Amino acid sequence: MSAILLMLLGLGGMAAGYFFYSRYIAERIFRFDPDFITPAHEFEDGIDYVPTNKFVLWGHHFTSVAGAAPIVGPAIAVIWGWLPAFLWVVLGTIFFAGVHDSGAIWASVRNRALSVGSLTGYVVGKRARSIFMIVIFLVLLMVNAVFGVVIARLLINNPGSVVPIWGAIAVALVIGQMIYRFKFNLPLVSLLGVIALYWLIYIGPAVPVALPESVAGLPANAAWILILFAYAAIASLLPVWVLLQPRDYINGLQLFVGLILLYGAVLIGSPKIVAPMINHQVPEGAPPLIPLLFVTIACGAISGFHGLVASGTTSKQLNRETDARFVGYFGATGEGLLALAAIIAATAGFASLADWQAVYSGFGNGGVQAFVDGGAVILSDGIGINAAVAGTMLTVMAALFAGTTMDTGLRLQRYIFQEFGEIYGIRWLGRPLPATLMAVGCCVLLAFGAGGPDGSGGLLIWPLFGTTNQLLAGLTLLIVTVMLVRLKRPIWVTLLPLVFLLLMTLAALLIQLNSFYQKQDWFLLGLDIVVLVAAILVTLECVSALRKSERESATEDV
């Protein structure tokens, strides 16, 4: 089968979702009001609350939620065949992710830009909030600790990517000044920024940078992890317009240029999909397609981390409430486009079925490397880009997105500690610097305390990320649904996705529970039980709140 057909079906479906379905939910369900005074204006402080151009904010939201996950998940999930992964990415983007992201922004904006955790206390109750905050903390800890490992490995495996990855920070700092301080024309700044990024990608292979094998007694990857955490800590304390916003925005444009090149190469080269449509010969030990597909592919279909970004940073920068459709729904659509590209690269970037099977010989194989290698082949064969340059471009793309997610993730974790300080009356924890140090300290403790001198401890709890993350998405949809019930609006657009998601996630948690027990992995077994109990308790609390809201609405009608 030609990859062109898969590409056109995916692009067409997502375009229809944005132009038609997102308009319906924006106008009939959430009813975005252009005259509503958003928290960005009400609490504007020039640091976290900053009214932002919707295109710039789209770049922030999109790149913050994307990371490496929409590449890794789909490029692993094709082991079950390309059709299940394709359907979940396309349908999940249209009916799940777009609704989730725009709904989370709306819910937060309507409640003083509170995070989804704090929002739970107002919408459901304090008990649900306390339990929910545990789930949120675990998700952020996993993301920050693991993405540090992922980026460090990319920097070590591809020294030619070091200059463009770190050079992108300098480009972002300049762009932030040009947009906010000097009021330059946005299209011109955007063009200059993209040119600068791709120039760095072009020269990267010519000036490779590699750390010594040992830095102050630490291996190179551990040194990179500490450098990355130090950078993320500084970035989380800077005003959003200085680094976070422009870095995310220019990375978003860079990704779209990269996607245009990749999809253009597919159109010109017409590669064939060599992977099976449905793989009837999955390797021994691979988990069942249902429900594991729906937690293996999170970002790119629906992801709870999106709700944290939507209610944590995006809602504080929304200029007009109507911008939530473009920022939230189209931001999720952009991630779906990246996941679709990952599926094509991981199924059509191989010379033969035998080559594909050699890579996908066990569950968990593939991932970023399959995307980079397969995508480089497609770019080289389709539009003649040098394979080394193409590989560097895709590596930088993955690393930059992981980096922007880590930036936002650490800022969000800082917000969580500040909220802990406000909730429990710990004044010093409510300030940015102590909260940031606590956030970094937890990540470093997990990375090196559990992983030893190489700093890979974050990978220890990563097997639970998919289920915990999807659980968070379902619970976020529950909060939005309760708000819709109280406003007497249709709830099927959020209720159906959340029921499906909670069922799949709880089933996956039970399957993992048995797997950890069989392996006698008592740490993950215990953590799985904690997440499972938290999920059940929060779900029961939300269902109780939902019924109470329905009764109150019925009483008012009478």
Side-chain angles (χ1 to χ4, degrees), residues 446-495:
L446 175 63
F448 291 92
D454 67 349
S456 62
L459 297 176
L460 183 67
I461 61 174
W462 186 248
L464 275 173
F465 171 75
T467 46
T468 309
N469 184 49
Q470 296 302 70
L471 167 66
L472 182 58
L475 297 178
T476 301
L477 286 171
L478 259 176
I479 303 304
V480 176
T481 302
V482 172
M483 288 183 61
L484 290 175
V485 169
R486 291 179 177 175
L487 293 169
K488 300 179 183 179
R489 297 179 189 174
I491 63 171
W492 64 269
V493 296
T494 55
L495 185 61

Side-chain angles (χ1 to χ4, degrees), residues 91 96 119 147 269 334 408:
L91 297 178
F96 288 69
L119 188 58
F147 276 25
T408 303

Side-chain angles (χ1 to χ4, degrees), residues 404-425:
T404 54
T405 300
M406 189 177 174
D407 288 358
T408 303
L410 199 63
R411 184 178 287 259
L412 290 172
Q413 203 163 12
R414 186 251 287 181
Y415 290 161
I416 292 296
F417 275 107
Q418 287 184 268
E419 289 178 359
F420 281 150
E422 293 172 8
I423 292 169
Y424 299 109

Side-chain angles (χ1 to χ4, degrees), residues 33-97:
D33 181 1
D35 297 321
F36 181 79
I37 299 175
T38 63
H41 289 282
E42 186 177 357
F43 307 114
E44 183 175 359
D45 62 4
I47 299 174
D48 294 320
Y49 294 85
V50 179
T52 304
N53 177 288
K54 70 176 183 179
F55 295 102
V56 176
L57 185 56
W58 166 84
H60 159 71
H61 181 79
F62 166 47
T63 54
S64 294
V65 301
I71 296 172
V72 175
I76 289 175
V78 293
I79 197 167
W80 289 301
W82 59 261
L83 182 61
F86 172 79
L87 290 176
W88 176 228
V89 162
V90 175
L91 297 178
T93 296
I94 297 171
F95 298 109
F96 288 69

Side-chain angles (χ1 to χ4, degrees), residues 208-468:
V209 176
L211 291 180
E213 290 187 10
S214 178
V215 180
L218 293 172
N221 62 313
W224 275 127
I225 290 171
L226 289 175
I227 292 170
L228 288 163
F229 278 130
Y231 156 74
I234 295 169
S236 75
L237 289 168
L238 291 173
V240 289
W241 65 268
V242 173
L243 178 58
L244 187 68
Q245 260 188 20
R247 174 169 156 82
D248 291 353
Y249 173 61
I250 203 64
N251 283 346
L253 293 179
Q254 179 255 348
L255 172 73
F256 258 69
V257 172
L259 286 178
I260 289 170
L261 291 174
L262 188 57
Y263 285 133
V266 170
L267 200 59
I268 295 170
S270 186
K272 301 297 181 184
I273 296 175
V274 300
M277 182 170 68
I278 297 177
N279 190 7
H280 296 289
Q281 298 178 328
V282 293
E284 186 178 350
L289 168 65
I290 297 175
L292 269 297
L293 170 70
F294 305 104
V295 298
T296 301
I297 300 180
C299 298
I302 182 173
S303 164
F305 183 73
H306 291 208
L308 299 182
V309 175
S311 65
T313 57
T314 303
S315 63
K316 293 178 176 63
Q317 302 168 59
L318 199 72
N319 185 38
R320 302 172 71 201
E321 191 176 58
T322 48
D323 292 346
R325 178 190 172 208
F326 181 79
V327 174
Y329 197 101
F330 190 60
T333 301
E335 192 176 55
L337 296 175
L338 177 57
L340 177 63
I343 290 172
I344 292 173
T347 56
F350 294 85
S352 67
L353 174 60
D355 291 337
W356 182 86
Q357 289 174 330
V359 171
Y360 287 89
S361 58
F363 184 76
N365 294 354
V368 172
Q369 203 56 49
F371 168 75
V372 170
D373 294 342
V377 169
I378 291 173
L379 285 168
S380 180
D381 293 345
I383 54 180
I385 296 180
N386 178 272
V389 173
T392 299
M393 183 182 80
L394 295 175
T395 300
V396 170
M397 182 188 296
L400 286 179
F401 275 84
T404 54
T405 300
M406 189 177 174
D407 288 358
T408 303
L410 199 63
R411 184 178 287 259
L412 290 172
Q413 203 163 12
R414 186 251 287 181
Y415 290 161
I416 292 296
F417 275 107
Q418 287 184 268
E419 289 178 359
F420 281 150
E422 293 172 8
I423 292 169
Y424 299 109
I426 308 173
R427 289 187 178 182
W428 63 269
L429 194 56
R431 294 193 294 269
L433 182 58
T436 298
L437 294 176
M438 288 291 290
V440 173
C442 288
C443 294
V444 171
L445 184 63
L446 175 63
F448 291 92
D454 67 349
S456 62
L459 297 176
L460 183 67
I461 61 174
W462 186 248
L464 275 173
F465 171 75
T467 46
T468 309

